[in-house]
Amino acid sequence: MKNTHRAWIAAALLAAACPAAAKEIDLLGNLTQAEFRSLSEDLGSALSYKPLAPTAPLGLLGFDIGVGVTGTKLHHQDLFNKASSQGNFPATLVVPSLRAVKGLPFNFDIGLTYSPVPDSNVRMWGGALSWAFVSGNVAMPAIGVRASYTQLSGVNQLDFSTVGGDISISKGFGPFTPYGGVGRNYVSSTPNSTTSLRPEEFGQNKVFAGLNFNVLLMNLAVEWDRTGFANTYGAKLGLRF
């Protein structure tokens, strides 16, 4: 298990260090306004904040540190190819991430994430603040709310960000903790002035469910998310205490 853990960390660090090269979003001017909206919807589904963690608060001394990966099935792969001078975007947009969450007083947690999309100029950083207004115990589930933000970087022709809010619930059963939630994701997608495109701002419904497995300090989370019209599957491996 130690070797697997180290391999995941090494892979994520390597991905974060790789320069943007092969598949750049650099021809947004090729898109119509409707096509730009569709591409922005796919980006909102893929790059909005994914918790990959249960609702229960970490506590004042708690940390959740790990590496994750999500894969979002693009509804409009052809538009990504049209907006790229290299083309050949994958049908599933894979986003590795380095993630850290710190417990705060009064059942608050704060999290940060950084995500480089392999072989592209797409980079994303983000964060979230969550509050478990029901902290949970042996008999009661944890129930909480979360506010999140993500920002795209590396794409010169696009200023793109998301703001999200959700409510979630989780309940531990030994080392297993199933969790789920619903929310709303808001996208702001502003193209560079060199294009003839107008900004797009819209909301997306969000629903997610996952399972967290924790033994001693080792932690594994798997999650399904549907934001807008696209499904995302993700996993995170790390330390949670």
Side-chain angles (χ1 to χ4, degrees), residues 1-9 213 215 217-220 237-239:
M1 186 60 70
K2 287 184 177 180
N3 290 336
T4 302
H5 188 194
R6 291 170 182 168
W8 273 64
I9 293 175
F213 175 72
V215 175
L217 300 182
M218 193 278 292
N219 182 254
L220 172 66
L237 181 65
L239 305 175

Side-chain angles (χ1 to χ4, degrees), residues 53-69:
T55 308
L58 289 167
L60 183 58
L61 301 179
F63 282 91
D64 187 332
I65 303 170
V67 293
V69 62

Side-chain angles (χ1 to χ4, degrees), residues 40-110:
S40 298
E41 289 177 353
D42 270 357
L43 285 176
S45 298
L47 300 183
S48 58
Y49 190 84
K50 309 296 190 293
L52 293 174
T55 308
L58 289 167
L60 183 58
L61 301 179
F63 282 91
D64 187 332
I65 303 170
V67 293
V69 62
T70 60
T72 302
K73 176 68 174 177
L74 298 176
H75 268 226
H76 305 95
Q77 179 191 5
D78 58 322
L79 299 183
F80 283 81
N81 290 331
K82 188 176 179 179
S84 171
S85 56
Q86 277 85 19
N88 297 318
F89 260 80
T92 298
L93 189 62
V94 176
V95 181
S97 60
L98 301 173
R99 312 173 68 93
V101 181
K102 174 68 179 72
L104 300 175
F106 308 113
N107 296 331
F108 282 91
D109 289 343
I110 188 168

Side-chain angles (χ1 to χ4, degrees), residues 56-232:
L58 289 167
L60 183 58
L61 301 179
F63 282 91
D64 187 332
I65 303 170
V67 293
V69 62
T70 60
T72 302
K73 176 68 174 177
L74 298 176
H75 268 226
H76 305 95
Q77 179 191 5
D78 58 322
L79 299 183
F80 283 81
N81 290 331
K82 188 176 179 179
S84 171
S85 56
Q86 277 85 19
N88 297 318
F89 260 80
T92 298
L93 189 62
V94 176
V95 181
S97 60
L98 301 173
R99 312 173 68 93
V101 181
K102 174 68 179 72
L104 300 175
F106 308 113
N107 296 331
F108 282 91
D109 289 343
I110 188 168
L112 295 173
T113 181
Y114 172 70
S115 301
V117 176
D119 296 325
S120 80
N121 61 339
V122 177
R123 300 288 184 268
M124 187 272 288
W125 61 269
L129 179 66
S130 59
W131 174 49
F133 55 88
V134 177
S135 60
N137 53 40
V138 174
M140 288 287 295
I143 306 173
V145 292
R146 175 175 26 244
S148 62
Y149 176 81
T150 65
Q151 175 69 53
L152 177 72
S153 64
V155 181
N156 294 331
Q157 291 189 341
L158 184 62
D159 182 5
F160 182 93
S161 62
T162 75
V163 175
D166 65 71
I167 182 168
S168 64
I169 185 171
S170 71
K171 178 68 175 71
F173 300 93
F176 297 98
T177 304
Y179 64 92
V182 296
R184 186 77 170 161
N185 184 52
Y186 295 93
V187 172
S188 175
S189 184
T190 303
N192 188 280
S193 59
T194 58
T195 74
S196 60
L197 300 169
R198 301 184 305 276
E200 292 283 353
E201 295 187 356
F202 54 89
Q204 298 172 301
N205 291 328
K206 177 184 183 71
V207 60
F208 60 95
L211 180 65
N212 193 79
F213 175 72
N214 190 268
V215 175
L216 299 177
L217 300 182
M218 193 278 292
N219 182 254
L220 172 66
V222 292
E223 184 177 291
W224 165 81
D225 173 284
R226 185 173 178 86
T227 299
F229 301 107
N231 290 319
T232 299

